[in-house]
C-alpha cells in the first residue's frame, strides 16, 4: 500500500494517508484473499521493519540518475525530493529479498506485477535497473481501467460521485447512477434503435458487463441483441444493474467482517504457506 505516495502527492497528513491504506486493505481482503498466502504491507510501516527492503531502495537510488527520473516522470526542480526518491521505493518490492520472512535471502525469485498502465513507467525503470544490481527483471501484467460512467473519453473521479459505481453505493444508488449517467450507445429514438441497433463499443453499460458478467455466452447474446436493435438501452442497463447490485452487496457484507485485527494479521511480516528452498 503506497501510503507514502499518497502523502507526497496529496494534501494529507501521514496519519490520514495510513488510514486510507488500512481502509483500502479492507476492500482488498474482502475480495477473498487467503491470509495464509497473502502479505499486505504499508510502505510507511514496512520499510522501517525490513533491512532488505531499504537496502534495495538504496541500490536502486544509486543506479538511477535525476535526469532519468525527470525524463520518465516529468519531475521539475520545484518538486519535493520525496517525489524524486519515491520511484525507488515503488521498485523495491519487485525483488524477493525485500521480503526475507517469505523468501529468506533468495534473490532469484522473479516477480509478476499486475498493474494499470499508469504504473508502467515505474516498472519499466525497474526492469532497466534490475540487471545492473544483480536481480531478475519483473514481468508486468497490464489491467484495464474501468471507463467513467459518462464514457471512455471522460475521467473517473473520486470527487464526482456520478462518475463511477463505488463499493459503498447502495442498491438504489447503483440503479440511479446506471440509469441516469451511464453513457449509451443507443440511438436517439426507439424506432432508429430497432432499425440500426446500438453500438457496444461506446456503451458503458455493456463495457461494465464485460468486466462483471461471468457468463460469456450470455454476454455474447447481449452484444448481438443490442447491436441488432432487439435489445433497447433501458434493457441493457437493467442487465447491468441486476449484475452489480448483488455483487456489491456481497462485497459490502464481506467487508463488514474485516476487522482492524484481521488487517493487522494480513500486514504482519511472517512466513506464508510457500517454501522457497
Amino acid at each position: 500500500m503506497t501510503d507514502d505516495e499518497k502523502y507526497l502527492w496529496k494534501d494529507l497528513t501521514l496519519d490520514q494517508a495510513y488510514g486510507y491504506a488500512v481502509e483500502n486493505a479492507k476492500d482488498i481482503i474482502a475480495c477473498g484473499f487467503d491470509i495464509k498466502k497473502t502479505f499486505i504491507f504499508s510502505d510507511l510501516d514496512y520499510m522501517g521493519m525490513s533491512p532488505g527492503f531499504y537496502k534495495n531502495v538504496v541500490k536502486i537510488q544509486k543506479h538511477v540518475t535525476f535526469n532519468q527520473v525527470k525524463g520518465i516522470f516529468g519531475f521539475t526542480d520545484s518538486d519535493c525530493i520525496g517525489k524524486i526518491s519515491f520511484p525507488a521505493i515503488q521498485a523495491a518490492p519487485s525483488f524477493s529479498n525485500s521480503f526475507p520472512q517469505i523468501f529468506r535471502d533468495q534473490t532469484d525469485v522473479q516477480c509478476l506485477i499486475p498493474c494499470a498502465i499508469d504504473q508502467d513507467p515505474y516498472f519499466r525503470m525497474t526492469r532497466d535497473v534490475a540487471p545492473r544490481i544483480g536481480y531478475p527483471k519483473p514481468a508486468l501484467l497490464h489491467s484495464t481501467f474501468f471507463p467513467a460512467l459518462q464514457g471512455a473519453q471522460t475521467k473517473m473521479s473520486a470527487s464526482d460521485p456520478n462518475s463511477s459505481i463505488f463499493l459503498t453505493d447502495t442498491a438504489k444508488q447503483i440503479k440511479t447512477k446506471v440509469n441516469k449517467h451511464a453513457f449509451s450507445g443507443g440511438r436517439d429514438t426507439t424506432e432508429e434503435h430497432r432499425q440500426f441497433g446500438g453500438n457496444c463499443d461506446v456503451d458503458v453499460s455493456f463495457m461494465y458487463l464485460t468486466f462483471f458478467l461471468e457468463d460469456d455466452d450470455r454476454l455474447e447474446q447481449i452484444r448481438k441483441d443490442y447491436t441488432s436493435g432487439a435489445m433497447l438501452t433501458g434493457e441493457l442497463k437493467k442487465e447491468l444493474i441486476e449484475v452489480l447490485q448483488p455483487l456489491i452487496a456481497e462485497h459490502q457484507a464481506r467487508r463488514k467482517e474485516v476487522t482492524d485485527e484481521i488487517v493487522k494479521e494480513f500486514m504482519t511480516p511472517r512466513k506464508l504457506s510457500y517454501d522457497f528452498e
Side-chain angles (χ1 to χ4, degrees), residues 40-191:
I40 300 174
F41 66 94
S42 142
D43 281 349
L44 289 175
D45 269 351
Y46 185 67
M47 195 161 81
M49 295 181 187
S50 171
F53 190 104
Y54 184 60
K55 285 177 182 176
N56 281 335
V57 170
V58 173
K59 285 181 184 178
I60 297 160
Q61 288 173 337
K62 185 171 182 177
H63 288 82
V64 180
T65 68
F66 182 41
N67 252 359
Q68 285 175 306
V69 293
K70 281 201 298 184
I72 295 169
F73 302 103
F75 295 141
T76 70
D77 293 343
S78 301
D79 281 308
C80 70
I81 60 174
K83 290 184 180 181
I84 296 158
S85 63
F86 175 73
I89 298 170
Q90 180 80 318
S94 304
F95 307 125
S96 53
N97 62 344
S98 291
F99 306 97
Q101 73 278 9
I102 301 172
F103 302 103
R104 301 185 182 179
D105 59 353
Q106 286 187 253
T107 60
D108 60 349
V109 182
Q110 193 170 18
C111 181
L112 175 63
I113 304 168
C115 65
I117 193 66
D118 63 325
Q119 298 296 302
D120 183 74
Y122 287 107
F123 299 113
R124 285 183 179 271
M125 182 202 78
T126 309
R127 284 174 57 81
D128 178 65
V129 78
R132 289 186 278 137
I133 58 177
Y135 297 144
K137 294 182 178 184
L140 303 185
L141 184 65
H142 285 149
S143 58
T144 304
F145 280 117
F146 293 128
L149 283 177
Q150 286 77 11
Q153 304 308 313
T154 62
K155 190 175 180 182
M156 192 182 293
S157 171
S159 62
D160 180 0
N162 295 320
S163 67
S164 185
I165 305 294
F166 295 109
L167 290 173
T168 52
D169 285 343
T170 64
K172 184 178 179 181
Q173 287 173 318
I174 293 166
K175 182 177 181 180
T176 300
K177 284 184 180 183
V178 172
N179 282 332
K180 286 190 175 182
H181 301 289
F183 186 81
S184 168
R187 303 290 176 170
D188 292 337
T189 66
T190 300
E191 291 74 18

Side-chain angles (χ1 to χ4, degrees), residues 6-18:
K6 281 187 174 70
Y7 174 71
L8 292 167
W9 264 266
K10 297 181 182 296
D11 184 21
L12 298 171
T13 67
L14 279 173
D15 286 343
Q16 286 173 324
Y18 183 77

Side-chain angles (χ1 to χ4, degrees), residues 26 29 255-265:
K26 289 180 180 179
I29 293 165
R255 193 186 190 282
K256 283 182 181 178
E257 298 175 0
V258 181
T259 64
D260 289 342
E261 289 71 28
I262 290 173
V263 174
K264 187 176 180 180
E265 287 183 48

